[in-house]
């Protein structure tokens, strides 16, 4: 039969990448592999004759910037042959291997068969828009698109208010046509967007098992996510193993063993070789949107491609998509615990998942051609990946009885049993038990419900249940267990109820007077409130250890410390083999120290499934990589935009259908913005040239750093207020070095009027002031002499005189300097373990202001680099009393500086009980040791908590603003965020 042109093109879809190979291509990846094995692979019989000559064909599929790591003999349990060369990493040829002398190197080993090779010479490519076609269609132009996006996605304005706004615009500009005459026209244009278009379907499940004919579209959702160009540099096209200095590292999901084993299984079929493996990461959790209406519970199901890096999944950016709302069966209280109803609820849940995921099932064994973020097409094998769920839902998913562990066979009465913990559950294990025992026996003896989970290729739900940091550790083991146990211990061991209440009240006061810090929840009345959220538990976890020190025995302090160390280790973005060993040590110590609660009578046993789950974390990290990309906090935060905000925009009458439309429109707008931004259609301000601000071409100041003229207010300054008002958060910038800069504009007066923070005063910039007036207004009389000595030391770095001993008559005169003072500085640094952007960059605001939130002063503490030593030994701690900038003499670039108060470290080791470093403020002749440093010396903010010991906090006239002045010694709080834990050990 004659071949068509497209068929002839497909003959060349798979090409051999070996240099000098004259093959013209192959129709399948399997034939390419056969060619490689026959022509380019060195037979084992003659391999020893080659000696140590470099030969990429004889190595594993790897990419390294250092000496090649030799895989262990069991690295390829299936005995898969060697891959083609040069190796393909993430779909691109890898550079030649070299062996640098630097011993600190990273080696990445990619899977040799399921390597995501891009397809070439395809005739079926995405239809490109012609140059004359409107890229903003169905909108007329950029302004119309941004106007619609602003109203619907950003402001979420109601239809009635949109109509009112359009009426006002028509009245203001009667000669110009408005973008639309009513909100329905704007909605229609949004609905006409082709980007991100995935229709919603509904289906009905009967008790008798009638299967629906319509099929939901998770496959389309995954394909839309994979085609998103924003993820181009944040995705893995093949499973990988990462090594540093010969030791394994676990980071993103595809760096774990599970994806590698899946690739081994998939690549047994020759047609699948060269394909890309895409496992879906799923998560579901019930949420309540209102208690005042009839329908207030929703059950969303979310999905994300497992290939995305953890930072991309945690930053969302359309990486976590809403794919379904699951049914919530309801019954009267009379039948809530009826076995038949519980069985029906399990059947409904599993059958619903089976139907929803049915579109993925055919392509879990047969590749499907899919467009990827780099614009290339690849053959993709889909899979069912980890499932994010809280414990009750994990039991529902795994069909285990409540109280039993869904991952191992340890019995509820003794979850610490070593034998039961070693036997992991699996489908094959469950099937064997169901064949050999009655339903009642497997229920009583093994905790297995009668219903068996639905089966998908290569998917075992017991193995796929992911670690859940939020519910298992933060809200479970810490808040619901340890905090409550500590309160109970104080009540049991105190002589009288009054003394117990006094201790608990003092703990609350200690919590209330903790100094503020970006992102730290402030507990004005301690921990004594009723409704706790996940953020509340996270906030208390950061400060609870110093609060109870002195009121409880050291064993309890150590119990909490071991849990905190475990939590912060497993929450890291990169977990090494050394970290895994430390995780085992902390779990062992935690189990040892927590016995104090058993011996004191607080607990009879520790049969708690959420707390028991921590023993499985090492295995799950080895399987799935760092858990911070699979935490239920990701899905819970998605509730806000996908469920709660959408619900608030509905009429409350049958809201589900309205919520689906709202989510669909939001996805369309987001997808359209990605396409337009990627093609450069949204570059620039989007205004006519006549409306753009004219800049002086001779000016040396950029718009971001030029001081605002006195008495003026600009639009740029107003936007700065909104940006600076945010204390911390992600930064959408590529990975880079740490950077600290002063606020974009100088500050005005030091007091706020309307409840805003100090950044609100940027609206009225102050005039430049001389050194002596600033010294007087800030109550720092030594400021002029410090500045003079700073300048002398700057211009004479080799003088060899301690700064405080430099004679003033040798120092430059500063009486004519014009200084601009600032209320804050912005620190940006790489902190992928915290709330960060897609590149792992994090931002925080460092304050130095005379009145914060219209009240007391706030002068934050900072880390200042000291040496290259690891951990806290490489840093100083200081407190900032003033940020300022100036130009000296004919300098073109303004100097950015800070007036600081030094702190000294107490001892050479952290506190043996709390594990925290201790510092104290420096004084000389009863005067604080102040100094001036360049802002560039500051690394980031530091959080200090005063050490109370056995003393109590005053009940009156003592607030958090007094803490840094009242205490003589402080703990350096490495638990304030995950990055601090990584540098202040």
């Amino acid at each position: 039969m004659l071949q068509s042109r497209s068929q002839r093109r497909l003959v060349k879809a798979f090409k051999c990448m070996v240099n000098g190979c004259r093959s013209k291509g192959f129709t399948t990846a399997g034939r390419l592999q056969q060619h490689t094995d026959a022509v380019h692979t060195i037979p084992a019989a003659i391999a020893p004759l080659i000696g140590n000559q470099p030969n990429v064909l004889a190595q594993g599929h790897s990419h390294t910037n250092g000496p090649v790591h030799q895989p262990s003999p069991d690295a390829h349990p299936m005995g898969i042959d060697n891959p083609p060369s040069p190796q393909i990493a993430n779909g691109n040829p890898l550079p030649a291997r070299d062996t640098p002398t630097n011993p600190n190197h990273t080696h990445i080993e990619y899977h040799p068969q399921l390597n995501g090779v891009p397809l070439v010479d395809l005739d079926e490519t995405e239809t490109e828009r012609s140059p004359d076609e409107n890229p903003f269609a169905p909108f007329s132009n950029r302004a119309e698109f941004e106007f619609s996006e602003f109203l619907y996605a950003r402001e979420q304005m109601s239809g009635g208010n949109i109509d009112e706004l359009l009426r006002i615009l028509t009245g203001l500009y009667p000669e110009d046509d408005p973008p639309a005459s009513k909100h329905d026209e704007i909605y229609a244009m949004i609905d006409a967007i082709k980007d991100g278009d995935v229709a919603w379907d509904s289906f009905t499940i009967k008790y008798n098992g009638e299967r629906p004919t319509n099929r939901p579209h998770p496959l389309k959702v995954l394909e839309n996510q994979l085609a998103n160009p924003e993820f181009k540099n944040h995705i893995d096209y093949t499973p990988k193993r990462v090594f540093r200095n010969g030791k394994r590292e676990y980071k993103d999901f595809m760096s774990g063993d599970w994806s590698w084993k899946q690739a081994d299984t998939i690549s047994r079929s020759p047609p699948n070789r060269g394909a890309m493996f895409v496992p879906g990461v799923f998560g579901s959790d019930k949420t309540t949107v209102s208690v005042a209406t009839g329908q207030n519970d929703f059950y969303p199901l979310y999905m994300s491609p497992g290939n995305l890096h953890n930072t991309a999944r945690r930053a969302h950016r359309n990486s976590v998509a809403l794919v379904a709302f699951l049914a919530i069966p309801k019954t009267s209280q009379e039948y809530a615990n009826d076995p038949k109803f519980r069985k029906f609820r399990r059947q409904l849940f599993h059958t619903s998942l089976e139907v929803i995921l049915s579109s993925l099932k055919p392509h879990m064994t047969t590749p499907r051609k899919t467009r990827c973020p780099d614009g290339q097409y690849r053959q993709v094998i889909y899979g069912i990946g980890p499932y994010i769920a809280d414990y009750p839902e994990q039991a529902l998913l795994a069909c285990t009885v409540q109280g039993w562990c869904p991952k191992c066979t340890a019995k509820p009465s003794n979850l610490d049993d070593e034998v039961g913990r070693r036997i992991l559950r699996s489908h094959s294990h469950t099937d064997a038990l169901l064949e050999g025992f009655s339903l009642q026996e497997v229920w009583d003896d093994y905790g297995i419900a009668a219903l068996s989970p639905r089966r998908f290729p290569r998917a075992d739900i017991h193995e796929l249940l992911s670690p859940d940091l939020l519910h298992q550790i933060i809200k479970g083991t810490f808040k619901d267990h340890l905090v409550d146990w500590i309160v109970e211990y104080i009540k049991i061991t105190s002589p009288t109820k009054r003394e117990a209440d006094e201790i608990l009240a003092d703990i609350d006061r200690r919590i209330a007077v903790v100094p503020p810090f970006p992102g730290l929840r402030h507990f004005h009345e301690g921990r004594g409130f009723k409704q706790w959220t996940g953020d509340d538990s996270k906030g208390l976890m950061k400060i609870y250890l110093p609060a109870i020190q002195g009121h409880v025995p050291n064993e309890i302090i150590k119990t909490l410390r071991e849990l905190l160390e475990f939590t912060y280790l497993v929450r890291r973005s990169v977990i090494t083999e050394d970290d895994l060993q430390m995780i085992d040590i902390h779990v062992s110590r935690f189990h040892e120290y927590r016995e104090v609660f058993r011996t004191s009578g607080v607990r009879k046993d520790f049969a708690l499934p959420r707390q028991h789950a921590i023993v499985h974390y090492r295995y799950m990290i080895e399987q799935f990589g760092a858990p911070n990309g699979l935490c239920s906090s990701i899905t819970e935060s998605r509730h806000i935009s996908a469920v709660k905000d959408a619900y608030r925009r509905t009429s409350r009458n049958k809201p589900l259908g309205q919520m689906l439309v709202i989510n669909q429109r939001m996805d369309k707008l987001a997808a359209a913005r990605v396409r337009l931004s990627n093609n450069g259609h949204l570059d620039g301000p989007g205004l006519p040239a006549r409306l753009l601000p004219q800049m002086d071409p001779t000016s040396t100041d950029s718009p971001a750093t030029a001081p605002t003229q006195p008495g003026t207010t600009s639009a740029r300054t107003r936007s700065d207020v909104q940006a600076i008002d945010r204390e911390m958060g992600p930064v959408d910038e590529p990975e880079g070095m740490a950077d600290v800069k002063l606020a974009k504009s100088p500050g005005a007066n030091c007091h706020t009027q309307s409840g805003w923070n100090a950044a609100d005063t940027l609206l009225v910039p102050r005039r430049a002031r001389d050194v002596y007036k600033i010294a007087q207004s800030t109550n720092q009389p030594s400021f002029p002499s410090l500045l003079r000595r700073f300048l002398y030391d700057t211009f004479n770095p080799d003088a060899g005189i301690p700064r405080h001993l430099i004679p003033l008559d040798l120092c430059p005169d500063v009486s004519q300097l014009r200084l601009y003072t600032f209320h804050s500085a912005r620190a940006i640094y790489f902190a992928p373990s915290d709330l960060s952007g897609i590149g792992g960059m994090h931002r925080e605001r460092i304050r130095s202001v005379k009145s914060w939130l219209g009240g007391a002063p706030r002068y934050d503490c900072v880390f200042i680099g000291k040496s290259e030593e690891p951990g806290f030994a490489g840093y100083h701690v200081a407190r900032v009393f003033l940020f300022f900038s100036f130009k000296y003499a004919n300098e073109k670039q303004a100097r950015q500086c800070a007036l600081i108060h030094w702190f000294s470290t107490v001892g050479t080791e952290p506190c043996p009980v709390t594990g925290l470093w201790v510092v104290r403020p420096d004084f000389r002749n009863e005067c604080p040791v102040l100094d001036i440093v360049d802002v560039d010396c500051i690394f980031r903010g530091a959080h200090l908590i005063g050490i109370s010991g056995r003393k109590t906090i005053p009940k009156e006239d003592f607030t958090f603003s007094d803490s840094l002045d009242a205490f003589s010694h402080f703990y350096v709080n490495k638990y304030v965020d995950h990055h601090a834990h990584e540098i202040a050990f």
Side-chain angles (χ1 to χ4, degrees):
M1 181 182 294
L2 294 177
Q3 291 180 320
S4 67
R5 181 176 298 177
S6 62
Q7 288 173 322
R8 290 197 298 272
R9 287 179 180 177
L10 287 177
V11 172
K12 301 179 180 180
F14 296 86
K15 293 182 179 293
C16 180
M17 305 299 293
V18 177
N19 294 332
C21 182
R22 298 182 178 180
S23 64
K24 296 182 179 180
F26 304 89
T27 56
T28 66
R31 293 186 179 181
L32 171 62
Q33 184 63 39
Q34 293 173 4
H35 161 79
T36 303
D37 294 343
V39 179
H40 300 297
T41 301
I42 299 174
I46 66 172
L49 302 178
I50 300 177
N52 296 323
Q53 296 178 8
N55 178 22
V56 292
L57 294 175
Q59 304 293 343
H61 192 180
S62 61
H63 178 200
T64 178
N65 64 351
V68 177
H69 172 82
Q70 299 294 339
S72 60
D74 59 347
H76 301 282
M78 293 178 53
I80 297 175
D81 292 334
N82 296 310
S85 175
Q87 315 303 345
I88 303 294
N90 286 357
N92 299 309
L94 294 172
R97 225 182 245 124
D98 57 1
T99 307
T101 57
N102 182 9
N104 186 18
H105 64 277
T106 300
H107 162 69
I108 302 178
E109 179 185 0
Y110 293 96
H111 196 275
Q113 302 293 340
L114 221 66
N115 47 22
V117 178
L119 302 178
V120 295
D121 294 339
L122 294 177
D123 62 332
E124 187 178 337
T125 57
E126 185 181 67
T127 303
E128 299 292 339
R129 295 176 181 264
S130 64
D132 298 331
E133 186 178 355
N134 175 21
F136 298 97
F139 303 95
S140 301
N141 49 45
R142 171 179 174 176
E144 196 169 282
F145 164 74
E146 292 183 330
F147 180 76
S148 302
E149 183 192 38
F150 175 79
L151 294 180
Y152 195 87
R154 292 175 58 185
E155 290 301 312
Q156 301 184 4
M157 190 176 291
S158 66
N161 287 345
I162 292 176
D163 291 342
E164 182 67 12
L165 176 61
L166 293 172
R167 184 191 66 79
I168 295 173
L169 290 176
T170 304
L172 287 173
Y173 308 102
E175 298 179 357
D176 300 324
D177 293 331
S181 60
K182 55 182 180 180
H183 71 275
D184 291 339
E185 296 180 12
I186 293 180
Y187 292 172
M189 287 188 288
I190 296 175
D191 292 336
I193 297 175
K194 296 181 180 179
D195 306 276
D197 188 11
V198 181
W200 287 90
D201 282 336
S202 62
F203 56 89
T204 302
I205 296 178
K206 297 181 180 180
Y207 184 77
N208 293 331
E210 282 277 332
R211 295 184 63 85
T213 57
N214 57 337
R215 179 178 293 182
H217 304 292
L219 178 62
K220 289 185 178 180
V221 176
L222 268 178
E223 290 182 330
N224 282 345
Q225 291 174 313
L226 289 175
N228 189 340
E230 278 195 307
F231 301 141
K232 180 179 179 180
N233 299 318
H234 308 282
I235 188 171
D236 292 313
Y237 295 102
T238 176
K240 62 185 180 182
R241 290 169 173 166
V242 183
F243 299 87
R244 182 181 292 273
N245 298 330
K247 293 185 178 180
R248 184 80 177 271
E249 287 187 346
Y250 300 89
K251 186 179 179 182
D252 302 307
F253 174 74
M254 297 298 281
S255 68
D257 291 337
W258 182 87
S259 60
W260 191 282
K261 294 176 183 176
Q262 290 278 306
D264 286 344
T265 303
I266 295 170
S267 60
R268 289 175 182 172
S269 175
N272 293 340
R273 296 177 182 175
M276 173 184 174
F277 176 48
V278 178
V281 175
F282 299 91
S284 58
D285 185 22
K286 293 180 184 178
T287 183
T288 301
V289 295
S290 173
V291 295
T293 58
Q295 185 179 1
N296 52 27
D297 293 331
F298 292 94
Y299 204 165
L301 174 67
Y302 302 104
M303 180 177 63
S304 174
N307 308 68
L308 297 183
H309 294 171
N310 288 350
T311 51
R313 186 173 298 110
R314 288 169 47 228
H316 294 305
R317 307 296 293 273
N318 303 320
S319 64
V320 181
L322 174 67
V323 293
F325 280 99
L326 302 175
I328 303 178
K330 296 183 179 180
T331 186
S332 63
Q333 189 66 30
E334 178 183 1
Y335 299 103
N337 295 319
D338 187 271
K340 293 182 178 179
F341 175 75
R342 294 202 302 265
K343 181 179 179 180
F344 165 71
R345 184 177 59 188
R346 288 194 298 269
Q347 289 176 327
L348 175 64
F349 179 78
H350 283 274
T351 305
S352 298
L353 287 180
E354 182 183 20
V355 174
I356 291 169
L357 302 180
S358 60
S359 62
L360 294 176
K361 197 168 186 177
H363 305 291
M364 295 177 69
T365 53
T366 303
R368 176 181 174 88
K369 185 170 57 182
T370 305
R371 186 180 178 90
C372 297
D374 60 358
Q376 304 259 18
Y377 281 88
R378 290 174 173 83
Q379 295 285 4
V380 172
I381 293 286
Y382 292 93
I384 305 297
Y387 203 108
I388 305 171
D390 189 11
Y391 171 74
E393 196 167 359
Q394 287 185 349
L396 179 63
L397 280 159
C399 294
T400 55
V401 180
Q402 290 284 333
W404 289 75
C405 174
K407 297 192 75 71
C408 72
T409 59
K411 293 188 177 183
S413 58
N414 187 15
L415 288 174
D416 295 329
D417 176 46
E418 291 289 341
V419 177
R421 283 161 47 179
R422 290 196 185 101
I423 302 176
L424 298 180
R425 295 183 184 269
S426 65
H427 283 168
S428 58
H429 180 261
T430 300
D431 293 340
L433 292 174
L434 290 174
E435 290 179 3
F437 299 92
S438 67
L439 296 180
Q440 188 64 44
E441 287 175 324
V442 296
W443 178 287
D444 293 336
D445 297 337
Y446 296 95
I448 299 175
L451 178 67
S452 178
R454 293 298 193 267
R455 307 297 172 87
F456 288 88
R458 310 180 310 277
D460 190 321
I461 187 59
H462 303 289
E463 184 181 33
L464 293 177
L465 294 175
S466 70
D468 184 5
L469 297 169
L470 179 62
H471 292 98
Q472 291 171 344
I473 300 178
I474 299 172
K475 295 177 69 173
T477 306
F478 170 70
K479 170 58 182 65
D480 294 339
H481 300 163
L482 288 190
V483 173
D484 290 348
W485 295 355
I486 290 171
V487 172
E488 185 65 22
Y489 177 88
I490 292 173
K491 291 180 178 179
I492 290 176
T493 57
S494 296
T496 63
K497 181 179 182 300
R498 180 177 179 180
E499 291 185 34
D501 292 340
E502 289 179 351
I503 293 175
L504 294 174
D506 185 63
I507 292 175
D508 285 340
R509 287 195 296 273
R510 293 184 181 187
I511 295 172
V513 300
V514 168
F517 192 82
L520 179 64
R521 190 229 196 270
H522 184 64
F523 298 87
H524 297 278
E525 298 178 358
R527 33 148 285 280
F529 55 95
K530 296 181 179 179
Q531 294 187 353
W532 281 80
T533 66
D535 288 338
D536 294 331
S537 298
K538 291 176 186 177
L540 185 64
M541 199 175 198
K542 297 174 180 180
I543 60 176
Y544 194 59
L545 182 64
I548 63 174
Q549 195 273 333
H551 285 312
V552 294
N554 289 344
E555 289 78 10
I556 291 181
I557 299 290
K558 292 179 179 179
T559 303
L560 181 57
R561 184 191 71 189
E562 296 302 330
L563 177 67
L564 290 174
E565 290 295 327
F566 168 84
T567 304
Y568 279 74
L569 274 179
V570 300
R571 182 61 174 71
R572 288 186 175 180
S573 179
V574 178
I575 299 176
T576 66
E577 288 185 9
D578 294 337
D579 293 333
L580 291 178
Q581 294 178 5
M582 290 305 303
I583 287 171
D584 288 340
I585 292 174
H586 291 308
V587 171
S588 177
R589 290 175 179 172
F590 172 74
H591 287 159
E592 175 187 351
Y593 292 135
R594 73 176 179 179
E595 289 297 320
V596 66
F597 295 107
R598 196 200 305 260
T599 57
S600 63
V602 175
R603 294 290 304 179
K604 294 182 179 179
D605 57 60
F606 301 106
L608 303 163
R610 286 189 178 94
Q611 189 171 135
H612 161 76
I614 68 176
V615 303
H616 297 300
Y617 267 61
R618 172 168 183 159
Y619 172 76
M620 289 189 284
I621 290 170
E622 293 173 338
Q623 294 297 306
F624 300 143
N628 67 358
L630 301 174
C631 181
S632 58
S633 59
I634 296 175
T635 54
E636 288 207 352
S637 62
R638 190 69 173 88
H639 286 342
I640 297 174
S641 59
V643 182
K644 297 188 177 183
D645 285 349
Y647 178 80
R648 294 188 186 102
R649 300 175 66 175
T650 67
S651 65
R652 310 297 197 275
N653 180 28
K654 298 181 179 179
L656 183 57
Q658 302 171 57
M659 293 166 65
L660 299 181
V661 173
I662 291 170
N663 275 281
Q664 189 173 21
R665 288 172 177 166
M666 297 287 282
D667 291 341
K668 284 173 171 283
L669 287 170
R673 169 163 284 276
V674 169
R675 174 179 59 81
L676 293 171
S677 298
N678 190 59
N679 294 332
H681 296 304
L682 299 180
D683 294 344
L687 295 173
R690 60 184 176 84
L691 298 178
L692 295 178
Q694 300 298 318
M695 293 199 58
D696 181 4
T698 63
S699 174
T700 58
D701 289 325
S702 66
T705 58
T708 307
Q709 294 299 319
T712 63
T713 302
S714 66
R716 177 184 60 79
T717 307
R718 292 182 184 276
S719 66
D720 289 346
V721 171
Q722 298 176 355
I724 295 175
D725 187 55
R726 295 191 295 268
E727 290 276 291
M728 48 77 71
V731 180
D732 289 330
E733 296 180 4
E735 178 182 343
M737 300 296 292
D739 181 42
V740 178
K741 291 184 178 179
L742 300 182
K744 292 183 178 181
S745 298
N749 57 71
C750 296
H751 299 276
T752 57
Q753 302 295 331
S754 58
W756 288 67
N757 61 19
D760 191 39
T761 61
L762 296 181
L763 292 176
V764 190
R766 78 167 70 164
R767 297 178 181 273
R769 300 175 60 177
D770 64 61
V771 176
Y772 298 97
K773 288 184 178 180
I774 292 176
Q776 181 180 3
S777 64
T778 58
N779 196 27
Q780 299 292 346
S782 62
F783 178 60
S785 58
L786 291 172
L787 183 57
R788 296 180 65 184
R789 290 189 169 100
F790 168 78
L791 289 173
Y792 178 89
D793 200 24
T794 300
F795 297 133
N796 301 276
D798 299 326
I801 306 175
R803 186 176 294 184
H804 69 281
L805 297 179
I806 299 173
L808 281 179
D809 55 359
L810 298 179
C811 300
D813 179 43
V814 295
S815 60
Q816 300 302 316
L817 281 182
R818 293 172 58 85
L819 272 64
Y820 291 88
T821 59
F822 297 77
H823 295 316
S824 67
R826 184 188 68 168
I828 297 179
Y829 48 89
F830 183 66
S833 301
D834 288 300
L835 184 63
S836 58
I838 199 169
M841 300 302 291
H842 175 84
R843 177 199 70 239
E844 72 178 15
R845 184 67 52 177
I846 303 170
R847 305 282 182 184
S848 178
V849 61
K850 213 171 183 178
S851 176
W852 184 58
L853 292 174
R858 173 173 168 180
Y859 300 108
D860 290 345
C861 297
V862 293
F863 287 110
I864 296 179
K866 178 176 63 174
S867 67
E868 297 296 328
E869 295 182 72
F872 182 71
Y875 295 97
H876 289 295
V877 171
R879 189 181 182 190
V880 180
F881 282 111
L882 182 67
F883 287 116
F884 63 97
S885 71
F886 65 93
K887 290 182 180 180
Y888 185 78
N890 296 322
E891 293 179 331
K892 294 183 178 181
Q893 187 70 30
R895 294 179 178 272
Q896 297 189 354
C897 301
L899 174 66
I900 62 169
H901 181 192
W902 290 112
F903 283 65
S904 290
T905 305
V906 178
T908 58
E909 297 288 338
C911 170
V913 178
T914 63
L916 300 174
W917 285 90
V918 177
V919 296
R920 62 186 177 192
D922 288 345
F923 289 88
R924 186 184 299 120
N925 299 325
E926 299 184 355
C927 295
V929 177
L930 303 179
D931 204 352
I932 293 176
V933 297
D934 289 305
V935 169
D936 290 342
C937 298
I938 298 174
F939 179 39
R940 53 152 295 172
H943 190 233
L944 305 185
I945 298 180
I947 301 177
S948 302
R950 297 182 179 276
K951 297 181 179 179
T952 59
I953 300 293
K955 297 181 180 179
E956 304 292 339
D957 300 327
F958 190 89
T959 66
F960 65 87
S961 61
D962 302 317
S963 292
L964 292 175
D965 297 309
F967 290 94
S968 61
H969 291 73
F970 299 85
Y971 287 125
V972 179
N973 185 16
K974 65 178 179 179
Y975 300 120
V976 72
D977 56 46
H978 299 282
H979 183 261
H981 183 264
E982 295 175 12
I983 68 170
F985 58 88

